[in-house]
Amino acid sequence: MSVHEKISHLTSRDILAAKGQRKLAVLTAYDYSSAMLVDEAGVDIILVGDSLGMVMLGREDTLSVTLEECIHHTKAVLRGTRRALVVADMPFMSYEAGVNEALHNAARLCQESGVRAVKVEGGSWILPQIEALVRAGIPVMGHLGLTPQRAAVLGGFKVQAKNAEAALQLIKDALALQEAGCFSLVLEAIPAPLARRVSERLAIPTIGIGAGNGCDGQVLVYHDLLGLYKDFTPRFVRRYAALGPIIRDAVAAYADDVRQGAFPTSEHAFSMSDEEIAKLDAVLADWETTR
Ligand code: KIV
C-alpha cells in the first residue's frame, strides 16, 4: 500500500455512536496476517491485547509483556488493518505509577506504533491517568472485573464481583471511568446480571468477555476463537474453528512430502534453457579440472 493511500479506520466516536444501535464485535490480533483476516471479516475493534504474552510468546501470564513488545505487535497489526479501530493494551506497570509515567508511555505507544487508542485495566485508582490521557487526545478503553494484570491480588483468573457489595463497587467504578472520559469499557468475567446492569447505566459501550450477552459488544482472543491455543481455554470461550489440528496435519504432510522427495515438483521449481544448461556443464567441467 502506498503511503498516500487513505485508510479510514473507525474512530472511538464511531464506537461510542454504536451504543444502542448495533452490537460491537471485537477480537484480538497481534500480527499483520491475522489482523488482515480479522479486519476483512468486518470486526469493529481489533485489540492488541497483552494476552500476546501468553498466546504469542508462550509466557504464563501478561505481567512480563513490555511496552516495546506492545509497540512491535501494534505496528504489525496496523499494517494489516484498513477499517477496524485498533486499540493497544498499555502493559503492566506502564501507567500505574502516576500521570506523568502514563502520559510518557502512552505517547511512546501512539507515536512509535501509530495506534490511536489505548486500553488500561483498573478502577477508581487510575482515574487521574485516564483523565490526563483523554485530555492529551488519546481515546481510552477501560477494563474492569477480572483484570489479568492484577490477577495475583484477585486470587487468580476467577470470576469477580459475585456479591452485591463488590458488584455495587464495580458499577461505581464503571461510572467513574465513563466520567473520566473512557469511550468504552471491557467487562471481563463478571456475572451476567451485573454486566447487564452496568451496560444499562452507561452511555459508553460495554464490551463483554465472560460477562453474558447483556453487554453492547463482545471480545474474544483470536487464538481461543480459532482453537490455536491449547494451554488454557476459559469456560466463556466459544471455539468457532479447530485450526490447531488442521495446521499440525498440514505441516506433517509437508514434512512427509519433503522426506519422500514428493515436494517440490516441477511446478514449484524454476527451469533453465537446455542451451544454458549445456554451457553451464561445459564451464563447470573446465573449472573443476583447473581447481
Ligand atoms: O489482553 C487481552 O487480550 C484482553 C482481552 C481479553 C480483553 O485484555
Side-chain angles (χ1 to χ4, degrees), residues 28 30 47 49-51 89 119 121 143 186 188 209 219 221:
T28 67
Y30 316 95
L47 173 66
D50 58 1
S51 49
D89 251 343
K119 176 166 83 58
E121 297 182 5
H143 187 157
V186 169
E188 179 164 355
I209 174 161
V219 56
V221 167

